[in-house]
Amino acid sequence: MHRIAIVGGGAGGLPLACALGDKLGQRHRAEITLVDSSETHMWKPLLHEVAAGRMDADAHGVDYLALAHWHRFRFRQGAINALDRKRRQLTLSAVHDDDDREMLPERVLAYDTLVLCVGSTGNDFGVPGIAEYAISLDTPPDAERFHRRLLAACVRADGRAASGQPSSVDIVIIGAGATGVELAAEIRQTTRAHAGYGLDKLDPARDIHLTLLEAAPRILPQLGERIAEAATQLLQGLDITVRTSERVVAVDARSVRLADGTDLPADLVVWAAGIQAPPFLAQLDGLETNRSHQLVVTLTLQTTRDPDIFAFGDCAACPWPDSPKPDALVPPRAQAAYQQAMMLVKTMQARLAGKPLPEFHFRDFGSLVSLGELTAIGSLMGRLIGGSMLIQGLIARWMYASLYKLHQVAIYGYMRVVFDTVGRFLRRRMEPRVKLH
């Protein structure tokens, strides 16, 4: 059978593996293999909720092996060590357990068609101290590590307040894109809930100081100006300090230094100021990459130097000819990765049938930014409304939550999602509103 290897089980790679397993693997038309360095999947747009403590990563993680069993594809754990395009082989690294004992040795995986969708990582732009003292929310372990630090900082502050000492907690979030804005709003709301569970001396409104820094003239620079203005007002209503046109030049254990020489006190620092594709892509047997390490692809999502290798999502530089901006690339959004994944299902069917491959044309349905449990803001775009429409409030929040449900439907199916939703609703009455450990 034709061997299709998919590397990366994120917002695009996992739905692609599930769909191809259902359509090709179950009918024995192709052998589908999903490769990922982790054992479980977590939808990346939810990491800010994990970091703030409103969501338990363990409760929302999805086991790749279970999905592979249900959808008739194979799962192989490991990271890419090397690519041999001539032999059509991937070398996967060894996998170790928590005690650093080897579970799986280095292995070779053969393929006929290779699909790379390994997402993105934080780009610190060489700012001193970021790697040592800041956290980037790239993975669930990153988000959980920040949550533990946030809880520890609040407990220490409560102890200081009980003894009459200064009890402030200073949190600085660098980068006011969607991740930074969502995280700031979540932290403000969840720390209020934390204080209600035994932190009697801590006053979140007075003692927890949140500062959001952005180098651009406004927050959410990738989105429309109306959304940025409305989001700024909502953040200020949550007592979050928003500082734009502020460039960070260094970070240390106690502070964040700005370009004008100002030092902001910081007990916790989050870096959300930029992303790039994983650097290892630039060393994959001569495949063409750009300055952000993205693999350069054509409209068919084939890499420019090997038609048997496809790439999509954040790690791919895909042309966007329908954009009003010249030489624009498809933006790194979950909706773009999902659209590309669904097109690649048709692509693989056409490839097996010897038919011409379809070309990708991104349809921007708008953007939504969560600002806590009860509100969101964003724009809707589409033919039905003839342009864009600004929405905010509870309705926008419901629509934001529905995006995750649609992702779940793509990998679970409708019935499992219905039962899961009902079960979670019932369990919420027996659990604290936020994660307390």
Side-chain angles (χ1 to χ4, degrees), residues 156-165 167 201-202:
R156 282 194 294 266
D158 185 70
R160 291 196 300 269
S163 61
Q165 302 177 39
S167 57
K201 304 299 181 181
L202 184 68

Side-chain angles (χ1 to χ4, degrees), residues 353-420:
K355 296 180 179 179
L357 305 185
E359 294 184 343
F360 179 70
H361 294 276
F362 175 57
R363 292 185 62 190
D364 190 352
F365 292 104
S367 300
L368 292 170
V369 178
S370 171
L371 292 170
E373 188 175 6
L374 298 177
T375 189
I377 190 168
S379 65
L380 297 182
M381 302 176 66
R383 298 176 183 175
L384 292 177
I385 59 177
S388 64
M389 177 176 66
L390 179 69
I391 61 170
Q392 66 182 81
L394 189 58
I395 293 177
R397 176 62 204 178
W398 287 341
M399 297 184 70
Y400 183 91
S402 72
L403 298 177
Y404 179 44
K405 294 301 176 185
L406 291 174
H407 174 70
Q408 288 183 305
V409 167
I411 60 178
Y412 281 133
Y414 284 100
M415 291 308 299
R416 281 194 176 98
V417 172
V418 170
F419 290 132
D420 177 75

Side-chain angles (χ1 to χ4, degrees), residues 102-287:
E102 185 175 273
M103 293 193 303
L104 295 170
E106 186 176 83
R107 292 140 292 150
V108 172
L109 176 67
Y111 69 87
D112 297 304
T113 299
L114 176 61
V115 183
L116 297 168
C117 42
V118 292
S120 57
T121 61
N123 185 358
D124 61 15
F125 302 105
V127 176
I130 294 298
E132 295 84 0
Y133 303 110
I135 295 178
S136 297
L137 302 185
D138 292 327
T139 64
D142 292 334
E144 292 178 317
R145 183 158 54 101
F146 175 83
H147 174 63
R148 290 192 295 270
R149 289 187 181 181
L150 175 63
L151 280 179
C154 290
V155 170
R156 282 194 294 266
D158 185 70
R160 291 196 300 269
S163 61
Q165 302 177 39
S167 57
S168 66
V169 178
D170 296 295
I171 304 171
V172 177
I173 301 172
I174 305 169
T179 298
V181 168
E182 290 176 334
L183 179 62
E186 286 287 353
I187 290 175
R188 174 58 73 202
Q189 296 189 19
T190 54
T191 49
R192 291 172 179 170
H194 286 150
Y197 290 98
L199 301 181
D200 303 324
K201 304 299 181 181
L202 184 68
D203 182 350
R206 182 195 64 208
D207 298 328
I208 298 180
H209 307 145
L210 275 163
T211 302
L212 186 61
L213 301 176
E214 173 56 50
R218 60 178 176 84
I219 69 171
L220 300 172
Q222 296 84 8
L223 305 182
E225 189 169 346
R226 288 192 303 163
I227 298 176
E229 291 176 355
T232 300
Q233 294 176 5
L234 290 170
L235 291 172
Q236 291 173 343
L238 293 171
D239 294 323
I240 297 171
T241 302
V242 179
R243 301 181 61 161
T244 56
S245 301
E246 297 281 12
R247 186 169 62 87
V248 173
V249 296
V251 175
D252 60 32
R254 295 294 179 186
S255 65
V256 172
R257 172 158 292 186
L258 305 181
D260 61 5
T262 303
D263 284 330
L264 301 178
D267 298 296
L268 294 170
V269 180
V270 177
W271 180 262
I275 60 172
Q276 63 180 354
F280 79 85
L281 294 175
Q283 281 80 46
L284 281 186
D285 199 10
L287 294 178

